[in-house]
Amino acid sequence: MSGTTVATALADEQGDGVAGADSGAPVVLAIDLGGTAMKGAVVAEGGAVVAELTRPTPGSDILGALVTLFHDLRGVAGAAELDVVGAGVATPGMLDEQRGIVHYASNLDWRDVPLLDILQGELDLPVAVGHDVRAAGLAERTFGAAQGSDDFVLVPIGTGVAAALVTAGGTITGATGAAGEFGHIPVVAGGEQCTCGQRGCLEVYMSGAGVARRYREAGGDALSTRRIVARLGSDPLADRIWGEAVDVLAQGLTILTLLLDPKVIVLGGGVSHAGDALFSPLERDVSAGLAWRERPAIVRSGLGGDAGRAGAGLLAFGAAR
């Protein structure tokens, strides 16, 4: 397991379990596959993470690295005499979740990858393949900030922006599996160019990459969004760029509210850590944009960066059953 970060103790002092799991307990293997990191875990029923391994996503042979990580997680579980009953992976991209085919994932350079068939053949286990953001939404509904709600939206705001859309208890996937591309709603008419080819997309203005780029291109220093937020109130350029970002996000969330009528909007990703600098003006602006109804609650993710992996675990237990 060289090159692996072990973020949870792999065995307790007595040697009769892994981080609180009893020998023989049913567990699943769960991986949140991202463009920069593969976050894996051995997960017990109820969502408890009993061991976790995180590795960088390689530039080539991602499938091989993914399979190796699953085998290593299985080895950790086996050493503790845990019963591995299934596996799940949450992946970015456009995918057919029933057939487990990733039709397109730009940050993995994948096209029409039969991921489910490959993993089932390699692991000889029940396997589930899910969309990373929709899996995170499932986890937030089960364990996190959307507990008890059948109608909510999860919007992770990191390098890019996407959304998990849940209404009447069901997740909206769309005809091609591409529902939830919230970051590519063109909210600024004739706006700045987006890498997707459109103009005025929401994530051009409100995303970790977008805020940092716009601040730099307007004459500011090369800073992260976190450091730009730290300058609010003392840096007029930071105030302007951040204010424009919040305005655009508020417009997008107003549109989502009127379309889907969610009970709660959950914000995740690195930008959600901006705290009151984000939530206070956002709540005000969304309320102002809804003339004849109250806005839904806008809250921060309860699971943070672990939501995708937790969702993969839930999907894996579903496949095992």
Side-chain angles (χ1 to χ4, degrees):
M1 296 183 188
S2 61
T4 298
T5 297
V6 182
T8 299
L10 299 185
D12 62 21
E13 293 181 354
Q14 290 73 35
D16 60 356
V18 174
D22 296 328
S23 296
V27 295
V28 295
L29 316 176
I31 296 177
D32 181 8
L33 174 60
T36 59
M38 303 182 296
K39 297 189 287 187
V42 178
V43 181
E45 288 189 294
V49 173
V50 297
E52 57 185 307
L53 305 175
T54 296
R55 292 177 180 163
T57 303
S60 60
D61 194 19
I62 295 173
L63 277 171
L66 178 65
V67 169
T68 297
L69 180 53
F70 269 122
H71 283 309
D72 288 348
L73 288 167
R74 194 172 197 171
V76 169
E81 300 181 351
L82 301 175
D83 181 18
V84 178
V85 298
V89 58
T91 175
M94 297 173 56
L95 68 149
D96 180 334
E97 290 180 296
Q98 294 299 316
R99 298 165 62 201
I101 298 174
V102 182
H103 291 302
Y104 178 58
S106 60
N107 56 351
L108 303 177
D109 196 25
W110 280 0
R111 286 187 181 273
D112 297 321
V113 174
L115 187 57
L116 178 61
D117 288 345
I118 291 170
L119 293 178
Q120 285 180 329
E122 291 284 347
L123 301 176
D124 192 28
L125 284 171
V127 177
V129 172
H131 184 271
D132 55 353
V133 177
R134 291 195 283 269
L138 174 63
E140 289 288 350
R141 183 184 179 194
T142 306
F143 305 121
Q147 287 186 71
S149 177
D150 286 339
D151 297 274
F152 72 94
V153 174
L154 167 66
V155 181
I157 308 172
T159 303
V161 184
L165 313 172
V166 177
T167 185
T171 301
I172 298 172
T173 59
T176 65
E181 290 292 346
F182 180 60
H184 294 292
I185 295 175
V187 291
V188 179
E192 296 178 18
Q193 185 77 40
C194 181
T195 56
C196 77
Q198 299 178 160
R199 286 192 172 274
C201 289
L202 184 146
E203 73 174 40
V204 170
Y205 301 86
M206 173 49 94
S207 63
V211 171
R213 177 192 57 79
R214 296 189 73 240
Y215 181 80
R216 184 181 65 253
E217 291 180 355
D221 298 330
L223 301 176
S224 66
T225 294
R226 178 182 60 81
R227 293 181 65 189
I228 292 168
V229 170
R231 292 189 172 193
L232 294 177
S234 61
D235 180 344
L237 179 59
D239 292 342
R240 177 171 71 81
I241 297 297
W242 183 252
E244 291 170 354
V246 173
D247 288 346
V248 165
L249 179 59
Q251 184 178 351
L253 295 182
T254 299
I255 293 168
L256 275 186
T257 298
L258 293 170
L259 282 174
L260 298 175
D261 188 26
K263 178 180 180 181
V264 61
I265 295 171
V266 181
L267 301 184
V271 174
S272 70
H273 293 276
D276 288 344
L278 173 64
F279 286 91
S280 293
L282 187 61
E283 290 171 347
R284 180 196 65 224
D285 290 354
V286 173
S287 294
L290 298 167
W292 47 267
R293 56 156 295 161
E294 292 186 359
R295 65 164 174 82
I298 302 175
V299 301
R300 183 176 160 188
S301 164
L303 300 175
D306 293 333
R309 188 180 62 189
L314 287 167
L315 293 173
F317 273 113
R321 295 188 182 101

